Structures are given as C-alpha cells and as structure tokens.
Amino acid sequence: MDSTAVTAFFQTLVQGLLTGGLYALIGTGLSLIFGVMRVINFAHGDFLAIGMFITLALFKTFNIDPYLSLLVAAPLGFGLGYVIQRFVLSRLGDRLGEGSMLATLGLGLIISNSLLLSFGAQPQSINVPYAINTFKMGGVQVSIPLLIAGLGTVVAIAGLNLLLYRTELGRAIRATAQNPLGAELQGVKTTRIQAIVFGLGVAFAAIAGVLLMPLLYTFPTVGENYTTKAFIVTVLGGLGNLPGAVVGGLVLGVIESLGAFYVSNNYRDAYGLIAFLLVLLLRPEGLFGKTVKRV
C-alpha cells in the first residue's frame, strides 16, 4: 500500500471519528432520556433542528458567531425539555410508555411545521470566514468547523460524566434510573429529576445542532434524518447505555466515512442502516448492552 493510500485512509478515518463524535453527542441525549425515564423521544432530531435554526437566526439577524449561539441554544433547549416533561409527558401517568411515543411524534410535527412557517422550506446555511480553513497534522487535513465540533463533543460528554458521577444531582439521576421507587423513599423528587434529564437530553440535541450548523445547511424537516441516526447510535451501543452511545456514534461515523470513500458516497446513510440491522439480528441488546452498566 503506497503512502497516498495510507494518508487517504487515515484522512477518512479521522473525519469519520470526528463526525461520529457528533453522532455520539446526539445519541447520548436520546440514550440518557431512555436510560432514566424509559421514554423513546421521537422528536429528538427536531430538537436538534431547533438548535440549528437558533444559530441561523442569530447569525443572520445579529451576525453572532455560530459557536457563541451555544450560550443561547443550550439553556433554551434545557428549558424547553424541562417544560415538556413537567407539563406534557408527566401527565401521561401509567401510559407513559406508549403515550410518550405519540406525544413526542406530535411534538416533532409541531416543531417541524413551526420552523417551516417561520423560516420557509428552502435549505439555508451560514458562511463564516473559517469554514474553508483546515488543520493539518501528519498529512491529514481536517476542516476547522469539524475539529471544533469534535472538541465541543468531548467537552459536552465529559461535562455530563462529571455531572453524573461527581455531584449529588448526578447521584439522584442514577438512583432514579436504577430504582425510581427506592429513590422516592430516599427523598429524591423523581418527577423533578426526570424533567431535568429530559431537559439535558434536549439541550444535548440543541448543542449538536449548533455544532452542525457551520458544516451543513438546514431545513425544517432536517431533524428526521438525525432522529434516525440517534436511534442507530443507541441501538449499536445499547439502549440507555451512555458509554455505548459514545462508541456507537464513533462506529457509525467511521462506517459511513469509510463506506462513502471506498464504495460510494451516494449510499452513505445506507451503510449505517446495514450496521443497525446486523446488530439487531446478531446482538439485539447492542454492542455493550450487557457488559456496561446503564446510567
């Protein structure tokens, strides 16, 4: 194998890992919600779309750098998720399992149609001066926005781990995930914890949307594609398994990048679906469903 082929391989691998990091960020939010609440959030990609459109609106209206939009999108995402859990999902009671599917599907339709009315159907993007800049190391070139997205993912996931394993709130979240009734008996307000968890999941989706915006264009129904990717990531890693979601995201990113480079870019999304189906057939509990503890 000549040096050009080796460089191309590592170039593709690095891009796949960085893209997979974003998938991991998206999947982590979905996996966190399921791990604590046993709720499948079918509107997850639509919350990501909200983050993208917040970034777009702030950039076009106030010329704010897209990454500074994190200061707005993340708190708004958390607040939106908190309110939805407290005033919508928590009212489903014993019907939370089936009812949450219908409720989040309905929320997704409301969000996508609201974005359509507000921003129109045409794809939109933002142009920043550093969008075409690259970082080169050892012959491998990576776009600056993709590198920033990868670093942002590391910071967000590391922050979540610190929250879960180094704080009292994190202990309450893990107790609620493992035994809600036992947590209640110990004085944990599980309804509040569930609202916080849903808020965190939505905030992670919004953060991912902000990090994606300098790389891609957006449109009102863009969330559908990322909801699918979030499910692929969580199934690959095991539903409710946060370390598994990170690994699943990285695996998905690498599979897509290698498949697009060596086979055909036209079927980029299909490679992840093939991996998804293989895992469902061969290991339905996910790659780490039994070997790594949940939240």
Side-chain angles (χ1 to χ4, degrees):
M1 186 180 291
D2 58 34
S3 60
T4 304
V6 172
T7 301
F9 171 77
F10 281 106
Q11 174 87 38
T12 306
L13 181 63
V14 169
Q15 289 182 342
L17 287 171
L18 291 173
T19 303
L22 278 170
Y23 293 161
L25 183 63
I26 299 167
T28 295
L30 185 66
S31 195
L32 176 66
I33 291 170
F34 183 85
V36 176
M37 301 171 56
R38 302 299 185 266
V39 166
I40 299 176
N41 179 18
F42 283 99
H44 199 69
D46 296 290
F47 293 125
L48 179 146
I50 289 176
M52 296 184 81
F53 275 99
I54 287 173
T55 307
L56 177 72
L58 291 176
F59 180 81
K60 291 198 169 183
T61 306
F62 303 107
N63 199 31
I64 293 176
D65 185 274
Y67 298 113
L68 292 178
S69 300
L70 286 168
L71 300 175
V72 177
L76 281 179
F78 177 82
L80 178 61
Y82 189 96
V83 169
I84 287 172
Q85 166 58 24
R86 287 301 296 265
F87 297 102
V88 179
L89 298 181
S90 66
R91 297 179 183 274
L92 296 175
D94 295 335
R95 299 168 297 169
L96 182 61
E98 301 83 0
S100 65
M101 296 183 188
L102 296 175
T104 54
L105 279 170
L107 285 169
L109 289 172
I110 291 171
I111 291 169
S112 59
N113 281 281
S114 297
L115 293 174
L116 177 64
L117 288 172
S118 302
F119 295 93
Q122 294 301 316
Q124 300 182 64
S125 62
I126 60 177
N127 296 311
V128 289
Y130 49 81
I132 58 174
N133 293 348
T134 59
F135 174 79
K136 186 173 182 179
M137 183 177 65
V140 175
Q141 290 188 343
V142 181
S143 74
I144 294 298
L146 185 58
L147 182 61
I148 293 173
L151 294 174
T153 296
V154 171
V155 171
I157 293 177
L160 178 63
N161 274 277
L162 288 174
L163 172 68
L164 290 176
Y165 297 102
R166 294 290 186 271
T167 67
E168 287 298 321
L169 175 60
R171 185 178 299 176
I173 290 172
R174 287 184 286 122
T176 303
Q178 293 168 8
N179 189 336
L181 179 58
E184 285 274 5
L185 293 174
Q186 293 298 316
V188 176
K189 295 181 179 179
T190 56
T191 54
R192 175 175 171 271
I193 294 299
Q194 289 176 348
I196 290 173
V197 165
F198 201 84
L200 286 172
V202 173
F204 264 58
I207 290 169
V210 173
L211 295 176
L212 279 169
M213 196 62 229
L215 294 163
L216 304 169
Y217 57 84
T218 188
F219 49 93
T221 56
V222 69
E224 296 175 1
N225 186 41
Y226 289 103
T227 297
T228 302
K229 290 189 184 298
F231 278 113
I232 292 174
V233 167
T234 53
V235 168
L236 287 176
L239 281 170
N241 187 318
L242 296 187
V246 174
V247 176
L250 296 175
V251 169
L252 178 60
V254 170
I255 288 173
E256 286 188 352
S257 292
L258 292 177
F261 185 78
Y262 289 107
V263 183
S264 172
N265 192 48
N266 294 330
Y267 304 105
R268 187 183 188 95
D269 291 334
Y271 307 130
L273 288 173
I274 292 171
F276 170 78
L277 292 174
L278 287 174
V279 170
L280 281 180
L281 288 171
L282 302 176
R283 193 174 171 83
E285 70 274 16
L287 297 176
F288 302 97
K290 290 184 177 179
T291 59
V292 181
K293 292 182 179 180
R294 291 185 174 181
V295 174

